[in-house]
Amino acid sequence: MKPKVYVTRLLPEEALNRILSYCDARIWKGDLPPSRTELLENIKDVEGLLCLLTDKIDAELISNAPKLKVISNLAVGFDNIDLVEARKRGIQVGNTPGVLTETTADFAFALMMASARRLVEGDRSVRAGYWKTWGPLIFLGHDVFGSTLGIIGMGRIGSALARRAKGFNMKVVYYDLYRQEEKMEKELGIEYVTLERLLSTSDFISIHANLTKETTHLISKKELDMMKPNCVLLNTARGAIVDNIALYEALEEKKIFGAALDVTDPEPLPMDHPLLTLENFVVTPHIASASIKTREKMAEIAVDNLLAGLKGEKLPYPAGSS
Ligand code: GLV
């Protein structure tokens, strides 16, 4: 008999076919995530779960799935899963690291360029019919080339962004709980600094940390107050690392130049959120890893993890291993 699994969204065809050939799969086909009730109901009798970062897999849900052997998250981040509870119950958890590194770093760089040069604001203005002539003082932004980039979290994606920044002759400083080896710092041309120094000297600050208790609201009023008036804040990691209300106030009072978020808290932002009224704010719908190739590779890895877990093998990409 094929093992029963629940898949919480439609995946690229090849990945789905692999699942269907090995498993008895129930697939949630909605555009929005399954509701809590749907999840609880569908997880009851399954051995495998392939879920997304939009599914909250907490202790209650896990205890509702006595046969569960493996949870495969289609994301590199896994803050949506109670890893401790899963481990306690001997359930393996997998994620999709590596394959989305360059794609996500590309996107962080794109957000940086877009905010610095007011690209989205300019586009909005043209479409609204405000463009009357070339002007020496219209839409002035800040140069990216030669500026200082502060990276919070120097893991895979942070390092990939640092490599890009070198091509733009940027000075790169970083802050992380763990300092990189000297060899790696030399190779990337990056300098380790305290968070305070990073905040007060960077022209651009890009967040690439995991969401944990320690990083929740890591960027709040106090930190925003330390930033330079020309600073642009970028977040492609997790929304809750930034306190959105404090960010709104800093942007509204022009304490910093701009912010571009691919991730927000909550997701999506409600349409009446004050951030959405600001011109110096860019937002995208959590799409930093969304290239066709990368999403295919992520799905492939998620299926590799799922199938390995069902067979009782070690997962090729266990969450929290690097
Ligand atoms: C996306 O945010 C991911 O964690 O893969």
Side-chain angles (χ1 to χ4, degrees), residues 53 74-78 96 100 236-238 263 286 289 298:
L53 56 86
L74 183 80
V76 66
F78 46 87
T96 65
L100 47 66
T236 50
R238 284 293 181 268
V263 288
H286 203 150
S289 69
M298 287 168 69

Side-chain angles (χ1 to χ4, degrees), residues 2 11 39 108 111 197 210 240-241 246-247 257 274 301 319:
K2 288 177 168 179
L11 303 177
L39 254 181
L111 287 182
R197 186 159 172 75
N210 294 328
I241 298 176
L247 177 63
F257 184 72
I301 287 185

